[in-house]
Amino acid sequence: MPELPEVETVRRGLAPRVVGRCIVCVTVRERRLRQPVPADFEARLTGQRIDAIARRGKYLLLSVGTETLLIHLGMSGRLRLLPEAVAPGRHDHVDLALSDGTLLRLHDPRRFGLMLLCHGPPAAHPLLADIGPEPLGTDFSDSYLYARSRGHRVAVKNFIMDSHVVAGVGNIYASEALFIAGIRPTHQARRLSRAQCGRLVWAIRATLEKAIACGGTTLRDFFGVAGQPGYFKQELFVYGRAGAPCRCCETVIVERRVGQRSSFYCPHCQR
DNA sequence: CTTTGCACCTGTTGGC
DNA sequence: TGCCAACAGGTGCAAA
């Protein structure tokens, strides 16, 4: 469900309402997430203050006391901030009760999400250590992408969805950015010219920034922490638009599987 | 080293 | 209407 813009939307929704609050009670109803919720999770979190909330790729990083709470939403994960304690429903796996009476709840039907605690600098955590540059940061540049893509025969769409190459680009925004850059998803990464790398870096940034400004993309079940949908769906050029006319040239948008994921492109605008 | 295929889960959808 | 296969916004790992 959530790619970088959705996670950033969650982060921005959470920040003003949780930073400075204390965690007064932790309830874990289901420990079997992507990695098991550790046995000492409750004890280590209870009584701690949330000092900051950051994001790295699709991970949320909450500074709690001397530790960092790592949260990933996987495909179906959702964080909600409830104004008061509400009886849990199916798939409401973890609750953090905060000192102002609000409740931060993780809901995740598929359990591909993750909640872990780490000591020390989170950047050194195995899950984060090998992640590529932030797409909205200065390290993600034309020259980086050009150099990094040399020798890689994989389709450019798979390449930019690889978190080791660049953090946070998922299936929706990979398709969208490639449309904006005018590059076919199946184009081999090693065949990208410098100019194409430049356009692609620009397109990824522009797409993600615009999606963040819209509060993310709600296809089915993404909602912000207060339950609000994201409005980027109306801005999509290709994702989910198979059979519909291209918004630029009227050519019919094509759907094709690239590396086991559905991909959408305009055969006329993308070469 | 790179690349591919799949496993991990549940819920929804579309074809027959 | 019902059933079942295919698919869904992610990630990491085994195997080639």
Side-chain angles (χ1 to χ4, degrees), chain A residues 143-180:
Chain A
S143 50
Y144 166 78
L145 190 66
Y146 183 75
R148 188 74 175 75
S149 58
R150 294 311 87 186
H152 285 263
R153 301 168 160 267
V154 280
V156 60
K157 174 157 175 282
N158 297 330
F159 190 71
I160 60 173
M161 285 176 66
D162 182 344
S163 64
H164 302 101
V165 172
V166 56
V169 178
N171 204 34
I172 296 178
Y173 300 110
S175 278
E176 290 299 306
L178 286 164
F179 173 83
I180 300 297

Side-chain angles (χ1 to χ4, degrees), chain A residues 168-270:
Chain A
V169 178
N171 204 34
I172 296 178
Y173 300 110
S175 278
E176 290 299 306
L178 286 164
F179 173 83
I180 300 297
I183 301 167
R184 292 221 183 177
T186 48
H187 192 95
Q188 280 191 357
R190 63 173 183 163
R191 304 250 182 250
L192 290 170
S193 66
R194 283 183 184 277
Q196 284 178 314
C197 286
R199 280 189 280 143
L200 186 49
V201 165
W202 185 88
I204 288 171
R205 283 215 187 94
T207 302
L208 297 177
E209 278 169 4
K210 194 171 164 196
I212 292 169
C214 291
T217 301
T218 296
L219 294 178
R220 175 177 298 116
D221 48 16
F222 168 74
F223 295 95
V225 288
Q228 80 283 14
Y231 297 103
F232 193 69
K233 187 177 180 201
Q234 298 149 246
E235 311 295 324
L236 294 174
F237 283 93
V238 289
Y239 187 88
R241 297 192 67 247
C246 173
R247 290 171 54 189
C248 294
C249 75
E250 311 275 293
T251 302
V252 173
I253 300 298
V254 170
E255 174 173 8
R256 205 185 135 174
R257 285 193 92 74
V258 178
Q260 290 106 247
R261 309 300 298 272
S262 28
S263 310
F264 302 85
Y265 67 95
C266 170
H268 178 259
C269 295
Q270 294 173 259

